[in-house]
Amino acid sequence: MDDAREIDADADKIRRNALLEEIYRDVYRRILAEVPADSFPRLLELGSGGGFLREYAPHAITSECVPTARVDRVVDACRIDAHFDAEALDAIVAFDVFHHLPDVSGFLRGASRVLRPGGRVVMVEPWFTPVGQWFYRVLHHEPSVLDPDDWTLRGFGRLGGANSRLPTSVFRDSDARFAREFPSLVVRKREPFHKWLYLASGGLRLNTHVPRFIARRLVALDRRVHTGDGLLGLFALIVVERREAAVST
């Protein structure tokens, strides 16, 4: 199956899985709360896939790394500054994209150029909490590189190349390296959430057929109850901001 047809197939799977779709809706609400349209009007989404963000942010520029009718532009995230002028964007958002990028340093350097001062990168990504990490290490099909200093992927392709631990390695366990390599960026938030709710949905591989009204209640409950997020969470909301002023060295 080629990439465009795979994107279409995955979008259909999400639509047919009520709990998974409600999780996606919750993720986009979390992301957009960090970049309200009145303050961040020039918004780019990376890895837009099925185009769900457009339902909540019609002003967003949607993109993918391959051509598909569902998005506005083809963008190589690792060379994002080749697609946009300096300070052309107010915000960049993505869901489950960063841990598939073969050159995260290239992406972060490029983001620091194309974002205006005060602009943000907001992502929801896999997160290695003390208990939640075992989902990725034992049950999940994507590889994880446990060395936090190794920011590379295993495998190849749009979704075949991955490192589920990569967001945790870059945004939690490498503060000194991050500050040294990306002095114009600062991590403002790394907030774990969703205590195994994604697993209950079956993800893209198995539809557990949770009724819609139960799915909404489960997501709402998970959103209200924060106890255990730091221990059990499977994802994290990550907010990275371009500094208002350059850091002197």
Side-chain angles (χ1 to χ4, degrees), residues 91-102:
I92 301 165
V93 300
F95 175 29
D96 267 355
V97 172
F98 186 85
H99 73 283
H100 289 291
L101 296 182

Side-chain angles (χ1 to χ4, degrees), residues 6-241:
E6 184 178 35
I7 289 169
D8 290 341
D10 287 346
D12 291 340
K13 289 177 184 177
I14 294 166
R15 294 291 191 195
R16 293 195 301 267
N17 185 332
L19 182 52
L20 185 60
E21 186 176 18
E22 293 301 322
I23 289 171
Y24 268 66
R25 292 178 186 274
D26 176 64
V27 164
Y28 288 131
R29 292 187 190 105
R30 291 174 188 264
I31 288 173
L32 292 173
E34 303 294 333
V35 286
D38 56 346
S39 300
F40 299 87
R42 299 174 299 171
L43 174 68
L44 170 71
E45 183 189 23
L46 297 172
S48 301
F52 300 106
L53 181 74
R54 184 61 60 75
E55 297 177 16
Y56 304 95
H59 62 289
I61 303 167
T62 56
S63 74
E64 261 294 349
C65 61
V66 295
T68 168
R70 292 179 181 265
V71 302
D72 299 319
R73 296 186 61 168
V74 175
V75 173
D76 178 355
C78 299
R79 300 177 59 252
I80 194 168
D81 52 338
H83 301 275
F84 295 92
D85 294 334
E87 301 186 12
L89 298 173
D90 298 305
I92 301 165
V93 300
F95 175 29
D96 267 355
V97 172
F98 186 85
H99 73 283
H100 289 291
L101 296 182
D103 182 6
V104 294
S105 294
F107 165 64
L108 290 168
R109 283 192 299 268
S112 70
R113 297 186 185 107
V114 302
L115 287 172
R116 51 102 168 151
R120 290 181 169 182
V121 178
V122 182
M123 299 173 285
V124 167
E125 286 289 324
W127 201 249
F128 270 44
T129 54
V131 175
Q133 65 172 308
W134 293 102
F135 166 68
Y136 298 107
R137 296 178 66 174
V138 177
L139 300 176
H140 199 48
H141 66 281
E142 292 177 347
S144 299
V145 180
L146 300 183
D147 180 359
D149 293 323
D150 188 341
W151 292 4
T152 61
L153 308 184
R154 298 297 181 268
F156 301 93
R158 187 180 68 89
L159 295 179
N163 174 1
S164 293
R165 200 190 191 282
L166 186 58
T168 312
S169 297
V170 174
F171 298 112
R172 188 192 71 189
D173 298 336
S174 302
D175 285 348
R177 177 179 173 183
F178 188 94
R180 183 174 63 252
E181 294 191 17
F182 317 109
S184 63
L185 299 177
V186 59
V187 180
R188 295 294 187 196
K189 184 177 290 188
R190 41 198 175 197
E191 183 178 278
F193 67 96
H194 273 339
K195 301 168 289 293
W196 298 81
L197 201 56
Y198 184 86
L199 182 59
S201 77
L204 289 172
R205 296 200 162 197
L206 174 67
N207 186 342
T208 52
H209 298 285
V210 176
R212 177 76 60 179
F213 76 96
I214 294 177
R216 287 174 176 165
R217 291 181 181 180
L218 287 172
V219 171
L221 177 64
D222 192 81
R223 187 69 180 263
R224 289 196 304 269
V225 179
H226 299 290
T227 303
D229 282 352
L231 180 67
L232 303 168
L234 295 182
F235 295 96
L237 175 68
I238 303 161
V239 180
V240 179
E241 189 171 280

